[in-house]
C-alpha cells in the first residue's frame, strides 16, 4: 500500500512538512503503507514550465506518477491570503483530469493564526471534491500556537484513522457512490460518542 504526502511548505525546516510527516506516520502505523513525500518547493520550476510547454520535467513526472499510483494522499499547504498557496494549486492543476477520482485524501494546512482554519472547509475540501477525490471527514489545521499544545495530537490521530479506514477499504479502486456507504459507516464508528 502506498501513502503519498504532498507538502507545499517553502521553508526548511517547514511546519507544513512537519504536519505532513506526523499525519503520515499516524496513518502508516495503522495501514503499514509505504510513505513517499512530494516536496512541491523542489518542483516549482518544472510546474511553471509544464504550464508553458505542456510537458512535465523528469521530477514532476515522477511526482505526478506517485500521486496517481497512491492508495491514499495527505495534502498539506501553508495558508496564503486565506487560501492554499499558488504552488499547491498549480501542482494539482497539472495532474491528469481524473488522477484523483475515488482516491482517499486527507487535507491539512498550517498558518500563523487559528483564524485561518476555515481554509480546510472553504478552499481545500471544495478543490478535492471537484477533483473527485474522497476527502476524509476530519481535516487538520495547525496554527503556530498548536505546536506542543493539547488537541493537535488528537486531531492528527483521528484524521489518520479515517484515512487509514478509507485506504484499507477502498484501495486503488475507482469508487461508485453506493460503495461508499459501508465506509461512511466505518468512519462514523471511529468518531467519539458523547
Amino acid at each position: 500500500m502506498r501513502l503519498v504526502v504532498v507538502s507545499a511548505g517553502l521553508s526548511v525546516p517547514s511546519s507544513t512538512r512537519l504536519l505532513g510527516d506526523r499525519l503520515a506516520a499516524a496513518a502508516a502505523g495503522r495501514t503499514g503503507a509505504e510513505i513517499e513525500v512530494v516536496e512541491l518547493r523542489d518542483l516549482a520550476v518544472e510546474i511553471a514550465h509544464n504550464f508553458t510547454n505542456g510537458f512535465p520535467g523528469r521530477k514532476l513526472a515522477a511526482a505526478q506518477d506517485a500521486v496517481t499510483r497512491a492508495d491514499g494522499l495527505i495534502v498539506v499547504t501553508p495558508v496564503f491570503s486565506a487560501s492554499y498557496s499558488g504552488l499547491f494549486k498549480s501542482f494539482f492543476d497539472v495532474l491528469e483530469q481524473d488522477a484523483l477520482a475515488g482516491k482517499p485524501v486527507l487535507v491539512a494546512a498550517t498558518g500563523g493564526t487559528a483564524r485561518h482554519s476555515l481554509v480546510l472547509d472553504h478552499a481545500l475540501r471544495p478543490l478535492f471534491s471537484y477533483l473527485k477525490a474522497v476527502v476524509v471527514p476530519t481535516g487538520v489545521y495547525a496554527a503556530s500556537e498548536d505546536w506542543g499544545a493539547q488537541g493537535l495530537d488528537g486531531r492528527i490521530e483521528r484524521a489518520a484513522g479515517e484515512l487509514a479506514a478509507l485506504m484499507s477499504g477502498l484501495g486503488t479502486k475507482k469508487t461508485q457512490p453506493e460503495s461508499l456507504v459501508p465506509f461512511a459507516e466505518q468512519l462514523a464508528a471511529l468518531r467519539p460518542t458523547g
Side-chain angles (χ1 to χ4, degrees):
M1 199 174 296
R2 291 188 181 107
L3 175 61
V4 174
V5 178
V6 177
S7 172
L10 299 177
S11 60
V12 178
S14 163
S15 61
T16 302
R17 171 67 189 266
L18 175 61
L19 181 58
D21 288 346
R22 288 183 62 185
L23 288 163
R30 291 171 165 84
T31 62
E34 294 178 27
I35 301 169
E36 183 175 346
V37 177
V38 173
E39 285 277 7
L40 298 184
R41 173 184 68 244
D42 300 334
L43 302 173
V45 172
E46 288 191 26
I47 291 169
H49 286 165
N50 193 169
F51 278 117
T52 59
N53 66 23
F55 297 99
R58 183 180 52 81
K59 289 180 186 175
L60 178 57
Q64 290 171 324
D65 184 57
V67 166
T68 301
R69 290 183 303 116
D71 296 299
L73 290 178
I74 296 171
V75 297
V76 193
T77 181
V79 175
F80 289 115
S81 302
S83 189
Y84 38 70
S85 72
L87 180 60
F88 182 85
K89 176 66 163 61
S90 294
F91 175 74
F92 290 100
D93 284 343
V94 298
L95 284 179
E96 291 293 322
Q97 183 175 1
D98 289 328
L100 301 184
K103 194 173 300 293
V105 175
L106 191 164
V107 296
T110 58
T113 174
R115 289 180 291 192
H116 292 296
S117 63
L118 289 176
V119 70
L120 297 172
D121 292 322
H122 291 277
L124 289 167
R125 197 171 298 280
L127 171 64
F128 289 96
S129 293
Y130 174 79
L131 295 172
K132 302 177 189 134
V134 179
V135 183
V136 302
T138 302
V140 179
Y141 179 83
S144 298
E145 65 266 16
D146 287 327
W147 298 101
Q150 278 190 319
L152 181 59
D153 289 341
R155 294 193 313 269
I156 288 171
E157 290 299 321
R158 180 172 162 179
E162 293 170 358
L163 178 62
L166 285 170
M167 287 175 64
S168 298
L170 295 177
T172 57
K173 297 182 284 186
K174 301 294 182 199
T175 321
Q176 299 301 319
E178 61 273 7
S179 65
L180 291 178
V181 173
F183 302 108
E185 292 167 359
Q186 286 178 1
L187 290 176
L190 291 173
R191 294 190 191 272
T193 56

